[in-house]
Amino acid sequence: MQGPRPLPLAGNIFQFPRRNIAASLASLSDTYGKMIYMHIFGREFLILNSAEDAFELFDRRGSRYSDRPRSVMAGELVGKNHAVLFHPYGEDLKKHRRLLHTALESRRQAEYWELQYTVSYKLLAALLKTPDDFMAHLKRSAGAFTMRLAYGYDVSDGPGEDHFVTLAEELARLTAKATKPGRWLVDSFPIRASHPVSLYPPLQSRQSAVQHVPTWFPGAGFKIWALNARRITNEFAAAPYLYAKKAAASGARSFVSDTVGCMETELGRPLGTREDEFLKWTSASIYSGGTDTSVAINSSFILLMALYPDAQRRAQAELDSVCWSK
Ligand code: HEM
């Protein structure tokens, strides 16, 4: 395995691409092969540029490589470690996944068709009306689907008007900054690298040297930034969860209402604080996991259709032959 020659301490900070990251990392394969190693201030990266290697390591040997890299800023200071997509591997992550699987498994897809039709028709109408705003429409549509599925919440129609969607977009910006490679000293100089068994409640032993610096100390602006990001992260997980629990009382169905119902039946009592805390993060992962991914896929589709009009014409003809044939 090879990689660009690192500098002492700083490692490959100047070779790690800042823009167009995927394409730039892919192009490194011409020089270094399909599997590339880099490090930035001690943080290590293995870049896999072939589907076979990705399948081999993350699927076939998945049980060995299922943990996440430690992330002091995003995971521990901002608090994203509670979220499924950042959660260290272990019993809690398995429990989150079991709950999600029960609701999202393929056997249950038909239950979401009606919602998918409603959201798709709205998206098509918006695209016909103002096609230039296609990115805003795609974001709104993906957010509307996941918010409804997770929380039974209908996002309001006007752009920039929905509190939960605005909050989620702000959180996505903060998360991108919190996870930027080489951006935070706390990620470059962590002390302990072991993961806690459970994050409920969080264990205090996972601290980095820089993490201990008080907020008033010169250069400790990162802590104030992290505190603000943590507040938004918590609000993003808690506010729609509380909404869904209240709405469930008046019969509104959602992932939250279904799961709370099942858990309460199993436990024979209302959920306690710890169970509520746990479930609020499971629910939040539906929005985080389903929104940007859907926008990425759909906007790539629009780009490809615009770039290859011939393929678009053929696909349209094929659709017409199925949809309009008698
Ligand atoms: C084309 C669209 C999508 C792509 C490419 C995609 C991709 C992925 C990937 C790669 C992961 C694993 C992340 C990790 O473990 O680090 C993941 C997890 C997840 N996705 Fe998706 N996803 C898509 C759409 C959706 C949608 C529409 C939903 C919800 C309705 C969703 C919900 C989730 C959830 C809840 C997880 C975390 C569950 C777990 O870790 O087992 N995803 N997704």
Side-chain angles (χ1 to χ4, degrees):
M1 196 191 326
Q2 298 179 48
R5 183 188 286 269
L7 292 171
L9 195 70
N12 300 103
I13 187 140
F14 297 116
Q15 290 119 332
F16 203 94
R18 276 158 209 281
R19 260 176 238 115
N20 221 351
I21 295 179
S24 311
L25 290 177
S27 70
L28 290 177
S29 278
D30 300 341
T31 318
Y32 303 106
K34 296 283 182 202
M35 211 185 263
I36 301 160
Y37 173 79
M38 289 206 222
H39 72 92
I40 297 176
F41 284 116
R43 180 129 200 215
E44 299 181 286
F45 298 87
L46 179 62
I47 294 130
L48 304 178
N49 274 336
S50 87
E52 295 85 62
D53 290 340
F55 180 74
E56 176 63 33
L57 295 186
F58 295 129
D59 193 272
R60 290 191 50 201
R61 300 191 217 170
S63 56
R64 190 184 305 174
Y65 298 116
S66 284
D67 206 356
R68 323 261 189 210
R70 183 180 181 201
S71 156
V72 177
M73 175 48 94
E76 295 167 33
L77 291 179
V78 174
K80 301 267 323 175
N81 270 359
H82 296 280
V84 177
L85 294 168
F86 282 76
H87 207 297
Y89 192 65
E91 282 312 307
D92 281 335
L93 181 60
K94 288 189 200 162
K95 213 187 298 170
H96 278 303
R97 286 192 163 147
R98 267 198 302 277
L99 290 174
L100 287 163
H101 185 73
T102 313
L104 301 176
E105 65 176 333
S106 50
R107 273 190 301 156
R108 295 196 54 188
Q109 293 311 308
E111 292 174 33
Y112 306 123
W113 285 348
E114 197 186 324
L115 171 59
Q116 279 176 319
Y117 279 128
T118 311
V119 170
S120 305
Y121 287 143
K122 270 197 175 174
L123 171 63
L124 291 175
L127 286 171
L128 272 175
K129 202 169 162 196
T130 47
D132 287 349
D133 295 334
F134 71 94
M135 271 312 274
H137 299 323
L138 293 180
K139 284 185 189 171
R140 170 147 242 93
S141 164
F145 177 69
T146 45
M147 286 302 281
R148 184 66 196 280
L149 193 152
Y151 303 111
Y153 174 81
D154 286 317
V155 301
S156 51
D157 274 336
E161 275 172 18
D162 194 276
H163 173 63
F164 289 152
V165 173
T166 312
L167 195 65
E169 285 174 358
E170 171 68 356
L171 183 64
R173 270 191 295 278
L174 294 173
T175 306
K177 191 167 172 185
T179 50
K180 203 164 181 189
R183 173 72 177 74
W184 305 102
L185 279 177
V186 272
D187 279 321
S188 307
F189 301 105
I191 285 182
R192 285 168 51 102
S194 63
H195 288 314
V197 176
S198 170
L199 294 165
Y200 308 94
L203 295 187
Q204 296 306 314
S205 58
R206 301 182 77 225
Q207 302 281 306
S208 113
V210 191
Q211 225 170 311
H212 285 297
V213 176
T215 45
W216 49 263
F217 197 77
F222 76 94
K223 276 204 131 176
I224 294 164
W225 187 88
L227 277 174
N228 180 47
R230 191 180 183 94
R231 185 183 55 75
I232 292 172
T233 305
N234 282 329
E235 195 187 337
F236 167 76
Y241 178 74
L242 285 178
Y243 167 90
K245 277 196 85 176
K246 270 198 199 137
S250 45
R253 276 198 64 189
S254 62
F255 169 79
V256 171
S257 71
D258 287 358
T259 316
V260 169
C262 287
M263 285 171 74
E264 289 189 341
T265 311
E266 214 170 278
L267 293 165
R269 58 165 172 80
L271 297 192
T273 317
R274 189 180 183 278
E275 286 125 6
D276 259 334
E277 178 70 8
F278 191 88
L279 193 52
K280 106 184 167 189
W281 291 105
T282 325
S283 330
S285 75
I286 295 181
Y287 185 92
S288 330
T291 308
D292 284 352
T293 44
S294 303
V295 175
I297 283 284
N298 288 331
S299 55
S300 304
F301 172 75
I302 290 180
L303 173 67
L304 290 170
M305 289 299 102
L307 285 176
Y308 300 100
D310 271 359
Q312 185 186 156
R313 265 189 293 277
R314 271 186 281 132
Q316 185 69 59
E318 202 174 325
L319 280 175
D320 289 346
S321 75
V322 175
C323 296
W324 303 111
S325 69
K326 298 237 160 99

